[in-house]
Amino acid sequence: MLTESFTIGSRTAPSRALFGPHETNLGSGRALSDRHVAYYRERAAGGCGVLVVETASVHDSDWPYERAPLAADCGPGWTAIVEACSPALVLASLGHTGGQGSSAYSQQPLWAPSAVADAVSRELPMVMEDTEIAVLTAGFGTAARLAMASGCAGVEIEAGDRSVLRQFLSGITNQRADDYGTDKARLLREVIAAARAAVGDGLVALRLSCDELAPWAGITPEHALELVPTLDVDLLTVVRAGPYAGSAYRPDAHVPEGFNKALCASVKAVARCPVVLQGSVVSEAFASSALAEGGCDLVEMTRAQIAEPALLQKLRTGAAPRPCVLCNQGCRVRDARNPIVSCIGEPRSGHELSDALPVDGGSGEVLVVGGGPAGLECARVLALQGFSVEIREAAEILGGAVLDAALGAGRERLRALVAWLAAECDRLGVKVVLGHEVLAAELSSYSGRVVLATGASARDTGWVDARDALRGVLQDGPVLVHDPVGGPVGVSVAEKLAADGREVRIVTQDPIVGTLLSLTGDLADCNTRLQQLGVPRELKSLLRRASGGTAVLEDVWTGAQRTVPAAVVVDCGPRLPREELYETGMLRAGDCVAPRTILEAVLEGRRVALELGA
Amino acid sequence: MSRYPHLLSPLRVGPLTLKNRVVFSAHLTNYAEYGKPSEQHAAYYAARAAGGAGLIITEEHSTHVTDWPYEKLIHGFDPAVIPGYRRITDAVHAHGVPILAQLNHNGGQASSMFSRLPVWAPSPIADPLFREVPKALELHEIRDVVDGYALVAEHCVAGGFDGVELQCSHSSLVRGFLSPATNVRTDAYGGVLENRARLLFEIVAAVRSVLGPERALGVRLCGDELIEGGTTIEEAVAVARMVDATAQVDYINTSIGVATATLYMIEASMQVPPGYAMFIPSAIREAVSIPVIGVGRFKDPVQADRAIAAGQADLIGVVRGQIADPDFVRKARSGSAQDIRTCLSCNQECVGRMGLNRWLGCIENPRTGREAVVLPMPTRRAQRVLVVGGGPAGLQAAVTAAERGHRVTLLEKADRLGGQVPVAASVPSRAEFLDITRNLAAAAQRVGVDVKLQHEATADEITADAPDAVILATGAVPARPWWAGDLTQVVDVRDVLEGRASPRGRVLVVDELGFHQATSVAELLADRGCFVEVATPGMVVGQDLGITLDLETWNVKADAKGIAQLTDVVPMSATEGITLTLQHHPTGTDLTRTVDWVVCAVQQRADDALWQALKGSLFPVHRVGDCVAPRRAHAAVIEGHRAAVAL
Ligand SMILES: Cc1cc2nc3c(=O)[nH]c(=O)nc-3n(C[C@H](O)[C@H](O)[C@H](O)COP(=O)(O)O)c2cc1C
Ligand code: SF4
């Protein structure tokens, strides 16, 4: 069903998979760029059914992030995307983030229904008066007309994660005494009407938060069920998001696949239009069964198509798509640094114009030393290019450090990526030798080319290495997790050990745990989970030493020392490259160059393979 | 005879003759566009040259593709930068001021986010901020690094620079090599100081050979890294001596701290006493024969003049001082130093915006960062403008309007100007914040704004007066949180600072703003002997103090003053006593605090009564600042300026 076409109003989508609107930072100024076009083109070519372009602000009072598209500047970009993306249906996402925006770029006050500060930015917005409301509604109309003139199949109105329309719908953010307060859906209806008047026979789609996860005043599923039948739209994407909902809109793998399924089915039962299931749907199996059960008509698979641009095409031909592992490490780019949207398993995503594709024509033998993500990706791409490839891996199984990382709480899905890489290598005829530690002498006698992907080793701290702890090699007694990095590892170790019933605490030099997780959206959540698990967070503290069942911690600001129970210390600090086999000039990739993340391993493994093929 | 004989005297620096001792030292601006210098860069530096700076040193130019720690870095290694260089140097030279480019490779103080390449460093030791393990440089890569510096020096020569400064301090590969904390190599580039300094000297030699004798070469050294096992003053002096001994370097610039560990000392806020870093140039100056630059919190010409007179340095870096007022030197020279818009060392819109990847601005200078945007010509027809409210928004509106030729009257209901600023600045450690409205009040007087104090404007009066335009800047009033009921011992921060309430005993400060309000009042009350705890719904108390580099000093002081901190809690109810129930939202559990007073640092309410009464009048009515939505001072200043320009 997923791969079959589907008719929405006057238009037909080539498949039932939707590519949802998301921040890419690919823009040029506030316009859509060539990079956007290339990015969307690949997904359309891969069989995407409905492609919703990155949300454009309908008025310049909204400038939520530096490269946020502005509808008035998007005409040429929409046209180019439409031309590049046939036969996918291209919808222009139109929005205004209201009080959830940023004044940093516009240097103007934020607009919102009421003087309620956003929970994250703490910036107080200006209360919209009739003038601003009229401007906003007109802005949606003007933007929708431009989108249609640019060839779009229609528009999607944003009333989900960050939206002034949702803020009007919600009792948390709308405390107005006028008509827009007593009838909280009034503005949304007016905006839909304005869009409807502008699109002619085109589509008006809506992305609607049907649960703000704040039942005391926010939008609840009950509200949504009342509201939805009154709305004149052609397609409805059901999401959950709200001022206190944090990462709930597009969470990482700590939340199960397709978490909105029941909510979506209940909305579908009352909706007058086709309904899209959104929220961490990454597998064909889940999508197809959700469709078969009838609780939705289409499925949003955004991250799945970031990880695998050719998702639908592969499903049609029975090939295995590269899995999205819901890590949010490469694709969640709502960050002031403006990172480019990408994917740990498919680093070419977002870089379609600069990163080459494998070309056939390689010949000769290549030995890849190490079967972690760097080695596997290198071998895969070498094999694709026609090389005859052999991987020698010291362990009895392929996957490298990822296998251990995947033992951490909420990280199980990571295994799917190395499993896919290993299966692809197998399919492409890569020879794999397991349980074989390569020695320098062996390399000197090897006649073909060699690529090192030997990974990293633990630094010498005298403590238990995180990988060993994840594998369960841990003596009894209270555990202290030492996490100077603040990435996903330390948290997942602490959570796993706590879930295993161990007494655990985590120490960091930072004022909060998991500092680097702001990028994945798990920062607040991981601190919450640790507190719920009763894991004491030893914040703003350095681990000075540990012995005899206790550890000495030192306050980073004051230097004051204290002791905490610690029969075992697990070190989640940075690792060291394994360079034993390296000699100047050799090819290498991933952690053995510098221990980093899967993204760099895959990127470099592929780069080396492409260099050899060039 | 000048009042600043030392500061305003010329000095030879290698082949250059500087007209005075004021240096606009290197600092990031985020003005680059796609790796290239922008028009804004040229306009920005030109404004400081026009204002009389003795020497300008641009922000850093990256010397290699492996170096791309933040998005808007100038890719000096790309020859495409040369036209942009030329635009900058022409604009600055038009004012007869020399300009150098700062050359840098940030080394391990970076991530691969933008470069998509491994980060390079002496040893595989992750930086404390970026936390990415770098690749230890191989020997051929060290040669690439040196070549990169030479290449960028060539680009700088082609682009018209008068020389270059090598960044070897707070964030740099050279610093990484010099510092025993980050260099654990065992080859010729690690170990004894001579080895750790080898890269520096290879770069000096390579760059000098590109520059030739007619261009200047400077080296910026860190005098104290303020990190465990890092460089200290003894080694810094030893390196300076070695630099001097090469006879290839024309001056030494100094700094303190490591950008990714101890930034709060590099760009010290008003919490750090002025002159705090002068032990560094003082020590180096005694050891070398070339001129030495001292930097750090120089805000007025007297202070800078004295430092030179005292022999602490030959030149003084005035960075934020000239970000705030480009005409710093011109005003000092013309005897109107009192007109200098003194920098507050608040770090809100300069440093604060850098960390967030935004263009550099200034809280009190709405033109900083916007120099390339030409203002519309002032109108011919002078209008009669009425400004209501004398806080930063109203003052800025009045000053800009008067500067643009309008006749301006400003009505303020209190008996002093400044709005909430004097209140915020009444806390001892925040005193310098007062300069924002002190500067504006002085400017208002200078440009002839008719200021009427203790005049509470009414809608009827304004309507009767019917001016050509009204700008409302009526500010904000404290709003009582819903849970406070009518408990008299639950008060606002402003009640305390404005003297309406004097809490004693146990005090809970509720911080919903995450900025100076809560921490200031907490300090003040602790100083008065109260037992203070600050509670916040956020994950950190005073979260935004991190942006202005005040979090470190706050935490140290909080500890010294016995102030407790409680995070992740939301007030649920308060009863006589006072017993406050707080919900710990991550776990959903309630906890209580019984205290004598609760002080609220919460969102205020816009005072928009006049706006509601006057909007739709026959004459144009504008509103600016907190009466639109209560926010921070920069918004008030920008909006006041914008409204006045638009008249
Ligand atoms: C926003 C900002 C960015 C800075 N970036 C750099 C830099 O890239 N390189 C450098 O050598 N110094 C940099 N500095 C440090 C300044 O050169 C100077 O040492 C520091 O601001 C103290 O001087 P001041 O008190 O006069 O501002 C920066 C300073 C500021 C305010
Ligand atoms: S923002 Fe503050 S610290 Fe920065 S230059 Fe302006 S007044 Fe000085």
Side-chain angles (χ1 to χ4, degrees):
Chain A
M1 262 175 118
L2 181 62
T3 54
E4 287 164 16
S5 65
F6 184 80
T7 299
I8 311 165
S10 57
R11 317 282 162 134
T12 299
S15 74
R16 294 191 187 218
L18 179 139
F19 192 53
H22 54 281
E23 175 171 355
T24 64
N25 289 327
L26 294 172
S28 159
R30 300 199 69 186
L32 300 163
S33 70
D34 293 354
R35 295 179 77 174
H36 271 110
V37 178
Y39 179 69
Y40 292 123
R41 178 191 285 121
E42 300 249 334
R43 275 77 201 169
C48 171
V50 181
L51 193 152
V52 190
V53 179
E54 182 165 1
T55 306
S57 300
V58 297
H59 184 256
D60 63 12
S61 53
D62 185 41
W63 194 342
Y65 52 94
E66 187 171 6
R67 310 224 180 282
L70 178 66
D73 294 349
C74 284
W78 281 331
T79 304
I81 291 167
V82 169
E83 281 169 6
C85 292
S86 173
L89 292 188
V90 175
L91 302 182
S93 172
L94 304 180
H96 190 299
T97 60
Q100 292 169 292
S102 169
S103 59
Y105 311 103
S106 68
Q107 303 210 307
Q108 313 254 15
L110 302 176
W111 288 8
S114 302
V116 178
D118 179 60
V120 180
S121 75
R122 281 170 270 111
E123 178 159 341
L124 209 54
M126 154 188 155
V127 178
M128 292 172 73
E129 301 190 346
D130 292 346
T131 325
E132 287 84 28
I133 290 180
V135 165
L136 180 75
T137 312
F140 273 96
T142 309
R145 254 185 303 282
L146 178 60
M148 294 312 293
S150 310
C152 292
V155 299
E156 183 185 85
I157 294 166
E158 171 62 62
D161 188 26
R162 295 166 197 254
S163 162
V164 75
L165 301 176
R166 197 207 72 242
Q167 291 152 25
F168 268 83
L169 287 173
S170 167
I172 296 173
T173 38
N174 182 348
Q175 301 172 355
R176 300 173 72 96
D178 66 1
D179 275 1
Y180 290 97
T182 46
D183 175 6
K184 294 193 170 53
R186 176 172 168 188
L187 180 63
L188 177 62
R189 286 198 312 272
E190 289 176 357
V191 163
I192 291 173
R196 176 66 73 202
V199 298
D201 79 334
L203 305 179
V204 177
L206 176 66
R207 176 167 296 254
L208 181 68
S209 174
C210 297
D211 190 352
E212 285 192 315
L213 303 176
W216 60 92
I219 301 166
T220 61
E222 293 70 42
H223 290 135
L225 295 182
E226 267 173 46
L227 174 65
V228 162
T230 69
L231 300 175
D232 168 30
V233 294
D234 303 310
L235 186 69
L236 176 69
T237 301
V238 175
V239 307
R240 56 172 208 192
Y244 299 110
S247 66
Y249 175 59
R250 50 159 301 176
D252 69 10
H254 289 91
V255 178
E257 178 169 25
F259 54 85
N260 275 331
K261 200 171 100 173
L263 176 66
C264 181
S266 67
V267 173
K268 158 94 178 139
V270 299
R272 300 185 303 168
C273 65
V275 169
V276 187
L277 168 64
Q278 175 272 0
S280 300
V281 181
V282 288
S283 70
E284 188 272 338
F286 192 98
S288 293
S289 79
L291 288 168
E293 287 166 27
C296 60
D297 304 286
L298 285 88
V299 183
E300 172 166 341
M301 299 183 78
T302 301
R303 278 171 286 177
Q305 293 177 83
I306 296 175
E308 178 53 270
L311 177 68
L312 285 298
Q313 189 190 313
K314 287 202 170 168
L315 293 176
R316 283 196 186 105
T317 58
R322 181 190 295 99
C324 163
V325 294
L326 292 172
C327 66
N328 276 356
Q329 284 174 214
C331 62
R332 193 176 181 280
V333 293
R334 187 65 160 247
D335 182 282
R337 289 168 290 180
N338 301 341
I340 296 294
V341 68
S342 198
C343 170
I344 62 160
E346 176 45 304
R348 187 166 174 272
S349 291
H351 299 276
E352 286 80 4
L353 290 179
S354 58
D355 286 14
L357 289 167
V359 280
D360 207 18
S363 65
E365 294 187 352
V366 185
L367 172 63
V368 177
V369 185
L376 286 168
E377 174 70 6
C378 183
R380 183 186 77 88
V381 176
L382 285 168
L384 274 176
Q385 298 182 116
F387 290 94
S388 125
V389 190
E390 178 179 336
I391 297 177
R392 292 184 195 162
E393 162 60 46
E396 294 295 344
I397 178 171
L398 290 173
V402 176
L403 297 178
D404 291 334
L407 296 171
R411 309 253 290 158
E412 302 78 5
R413 282 180 179 273
L414 289 177
R415 186 180 273 271
L417 180 58
V418 284
W420 179 81
L421 286 167
E424 285 296 289
C425 285
D426 185 47
R427 183 177 69 82
L428 295 165
V430 172
K431 181 177 169 204
V432 175
V433 181
L434 294 173
H436 181 104
E437 171 110 42
V438 173
L439 302 173
E442 184 179 339
L443 288 186
S444 50
S445 65
Y446 184 77
S447 57
R449 247 131 1 142
V450 176
V451 178
L452 298 182
T454 47
S457 51
R459 50 183 190 160
D460 183 18
T461 54
W463 298 320
V464 178
D465 177 23
R467 287 183 66 176
D468 291 332
L470 284 165
R471 271 189 251 122
V473 191
L474 215 55
Q475 73 189 70
D476 290 343
V479 183
L480 179 66
V481 175
H482 178 232
D483 182 19
V485 175
V489 175
V491 172
S492 76
V493 169
E495 278 187 79
K496 176 188 156 55
L497 295 176
D500 289 351
R502 301 292 300 253
E503 180 190 340
V504 188
R505 51 198 345 109
I506 182 165
V507 57
T508 166
Q509 72 277 21
D510 298 326
I512 41 175
V513 169
T515 319
L516 297 186
L517 297 176
S518 66
L519 202 56
T520 68
D522 197 37
L523 176 62
D525 294 359
C526 81
N527 280 276
T528 297
R529 290 195 307 272
L530 289 171
Q531 293 186 77
Q532 287 171 348
L533 283 165
V535 174
R537 299 173 305 155
E538 304 293 345
L539 305 172
K540 308 182 216 176
S541 301
L542 300 172
L543 171 57
R544 281 304 185 196
R545 56 187 177 275
S547 63
T550 57
V552 177
L553 307 184
E554 180 180 304
D555 187 291
V556 291
W557 310 118
T558 66
Q561 296 198 335
R562 63 187 190 281
T563 58
V564 295
V568 190
V569 174
V570 178
D571 182 44
C572 302
R575 308 176 76 79
L576 291 169
R578 292 197 52 184
E579 301 192 285
E580 297 88 343
L581 298 177
Y582 180 71
E583 276 167 39
T584 307
M586 287 179 81
L587 296 170
R588 50 180 177 162
D591 279 7
C592 69
V593 179
R596 289 150 298 163
T597 75
I598 299 176
L599 174 80
E600 290 80 21
V602 171
L603 176 66
E604 287 170 10
R606 183 181 301 186
R607 244 186 220 154
V608 168
L610 292 174
E611 266 167 40
L612 283 173
Chain B
M1 182 60 200
S2 155
R3 288 179 56 201
Y4 314 106
H6 306 283
L7 188 66
L8 298 181
S9 66
L11 182 73
R12 267 197 80 86
V13 174
L16 308 174
T17 302
L18 313 187
K19 284 189 212 149
N20 60 65
R21 309 297 185 93
V22 178
V23 180
F24 196 40
S25 200
H27 54 284
L28 310 185
T29 64
N30 281 337
Y31 297 154
E33 291 167 359
Y34 298 99
K36 293 202 272 289
S38 64
E39 261 177 62
Q40 169 56 27
H41 270 117
Y44 175 73
Y45 293 123
R48 276 72 194 171
L55 173 68
I56 290 176
I57 305 167
T58 69
E59 72 179 287
E60 65 185 9
H61 305 240
S62 169
T63 55
H64 197 264
V65 284
T66 48
D67 178 41
W68 194 352
Y70 53 94
E71 190 190 25
K72 297 174 184 100
L73 173 69
I74 298 176
H75 298 312
F77 52 81
D78 178 354
V81 294
I82 294 172
Y85 283 181
R86 182 55 76 180
R87 182 165 51 193
I88 292 173
T89 56
D90 283 351
V92 168
H93 287 154
H95 301 283
V97 176
I99 178 164
L100 310 181
Q102 191 181 62
L103 269 42
N104 193 27
H105 189 302
N106 285 274
Q109 294 171 272
S111 84
S112 55
M113 179 180 270
F114 302 105
S115 70
R116 305 172 80 214
L117 295 169
V119 161
W120 280 3
S123 305
I125 296 173
D127 177 70
L129 180 73
F130 288 98
R131 301 181 188 183
E132 178 166 325
V133 179
K135 173 183 193 296
L137 281 169
E138 300 179 54
L139 292 180
H140 66 276
E141 291 163 336
I142 291 180
R143 283 195 298 279
D144 288 346
V145 167
V146 176
D147 291 348
Y149 276 83
L151 176 71
V152 181
E154 277 172 34
H155 294 163
C156 290
V157 170
F161 281 103
D162 301 291
V164 304
E165 175 178 285
L166 305 177
Q167 166 63 306
C168 307
S169 63
H170 30 255
S171 176
S172 62
L173 183 62
V174 178
R175 181 209 66 76
F177 269 87
L178 285 171
S179 172
T182 39
N183 182 350
V184 296
R185 295 176 77 97
T186 51
D187 65 1
Y189 292 87
V192 294
L193 184 60
E194 286 66 27
N195 282 358
R196 281 181 276 129
R198 191 175 307 279
L199 175 65
L200 167 59
F201 295 110
E202 290 179 0
I203 293 171
V204 164
V207 169
R208 176 50 88 191
S209 75
V210 171
L211 295 181
E214 60 291 355
R215 287 191 171 74
L217 174 58
V219 167
R220 190 166 198 185
L221 293 176
C222 176
D224 192 337
E225 294 191 317
L226 307 169
I227 56 171
E228 263 177 36
T231 296
T232 55
I233 187 69
E234 293 76 24
E235 276 211 348
V237 170
V239 174
R241 254 198 212 101
M242 288 153 69
V243 167
D244 191 23
T246 64
Q248 298 191 317
V249 174
D250 300 309
Y251 74 89
I252 289 175
N253 195 351
T254 57
S255 85
I256 185 167
V258 175
T260 47
T262 47
L263 188 66
Y264 70 105
M265 290 299 277
I266 299 177
E267 298 154 357
S269 81
M270 66 182 83
Q271 309 283 342
V272 178
Y276 69 100
M278 292 307 280
F279 69 95
I280 295 168
S282 303
I284 290 180
R285 198 164 175 270
E286 283 183 14
V288 302
S289 61
I290 46 181
V292 177
I293 308 180
V295 260
R297 282 233 315 122
F298 280 94
K299 311 206 320 173
D300 68 62
V302 188
Q303 182 201 1
D305 193 67
R306 284 201 192 129
I308 296 174
Q312 293 179 327
D314 303 283
L315 295 148
I316 300 292
V318 178
V319 176
R320 286 166 295 178
Q322 295 182 90
I323 292 175
D325 194 339
D327 295 322
F328 183 91
V329 175
R330 192 178 56 72
K331 288 174 179 171
R333 193 182 289 288
S334 66
S336 43
Q338 72 284 356
D339 294 351
I340 292 173
R341 194 191 294 106
T342 13
C343 161
L344 316 176
S345 301
C346 68
N347 280 348
Q348 280 182 232
E349 296 301 295
C350 54
V351 173
R353 288 180 62 93
M354 285 310 92
L356 296 170
N357 187 25
R358 295 163 185 163
W359 41 265
L360 177 102
C362 171
I363 194 169
E364 52 173 354
N365 186 347
R367 295 294 294 152
T368 298
R370 286 289 169 261
E371 288 84 355
V373 181
V374 182
L375 291 182
M377 289 295 286
T379 50
R380 292 278 178 65
R381 196 178 67 85
Q383 297 183 36
R384 203 159 57 80
V385 179
L386 179 69
V387 177
V388 183
L395 278 169
Q396 183 67 55
V399 168
T400 303
E403 281 172 348
R404 293 173 66 81
H406 301 297
R407 277 174 293 129
V408 184
T409 303
L410 186 151
L411 306 180
E412 164 58 50
K413 71 178 175 198
D415 59 0
R416 65 174 179 193
L417 289 171
Q420 293 181 55
V421 169
V423 180
S426 67
V427 182
S429 63
R430 297 280 300 151
E432 287 172 58
F433 195 64
L434 183 62
D435 281 348
I436 186 170
T437 48
R438 195 198 54 120
N439 293 336
L440 277 168
Q445 193 177 30
R446 199 163 62 241
V447 297
V449 173
D450 180 15
V451 175
K452 294 193 167 70
L453 294 176
Q454 288 179 289
H455 186 125
E456 173 136 24
T458 66
D460 289 346
E461 165 195 5
I462 296 171
T463 307
D465 183 41
D468 296 328
V470 175
I471 299 178
L472 299 176
T474 46
V477 289
R480 228 174 142 69
W482 62 269
W483 46 264
D486 46 17
L487 295 171
T488 49
Q489 288 333 54
V490 178
V491 294
D492 190 79
V493 170
R494 285 177 66 178
D495 294 325
V496 178
L497 298 184
E498 290 169 6
R500 286 186 297 275
S502 305
R504 292 271 177 275
R506 293 158 302 168
V507 181
L508 185 76
V509 178
V510 175
D511 177 19
E512 291 182 359
L513 301 175
F515 208 37
H516 289 290
Q517 292 89 337
T519 53
S520 289
V521 85
E523 278 192 52
L524 185 80
L525 292 176
D527 288 346
R528 289 184 188 163
C530 299
F531 301 94
V532 183
E533 181 171 36
V534 188
T536 174
M539 293 198 282
V540 178
V541 167
Q543 189 165 329
D544 289 356
L545 300 182
I547 295 170
T548 57
L549 312 181
D550 288 311
L551 202 55
E552 292 84 354
T553 36
W554 151 249
N555 274 287
V556 170
K557 288 193 290 176
D559 184 74
K561 297 179 180 190
I563 301 170
Q565 307 189 43
L566 179 64
T567 60
D568 302 303
V569 292
V570 183
M572 302 303 286
S573 66
T575 54
E576 198 69 58
I578 293 169
T579 298
L580 198 71
T581 304
L582 299 154
Q583 186 177 82
H584 182 245
H585 59 78
T587 54
T589 48
D590 282 353
L591 50 140
T592 56
R593 288 288 191 271
T594 301
V595 292
D596 300 303
W597 290 82
V598 176
V599 178
C600 304
V602 298
Q603 300 288 358
Q604 305 188 71
R605 189 168 54 74
D607 184 354
D608 65 350
L610 276 182
W611 164 255
Q612 295 303 342
L614 289 173
K615 68 179 175 187
S617 295
L618 290 174
F619 44 83
V621 182
H622 310 278
R623 53 178 175 153
V624 295
D626 277 6
C627 72
V628 179
R631 289 153 298 161
R632 294 178 187 164
H634 73 283
V637 170
I638 286 168
E639 284 168 18
H641 178 74
R642 189 187 294 140
V645 167
L647 286 172

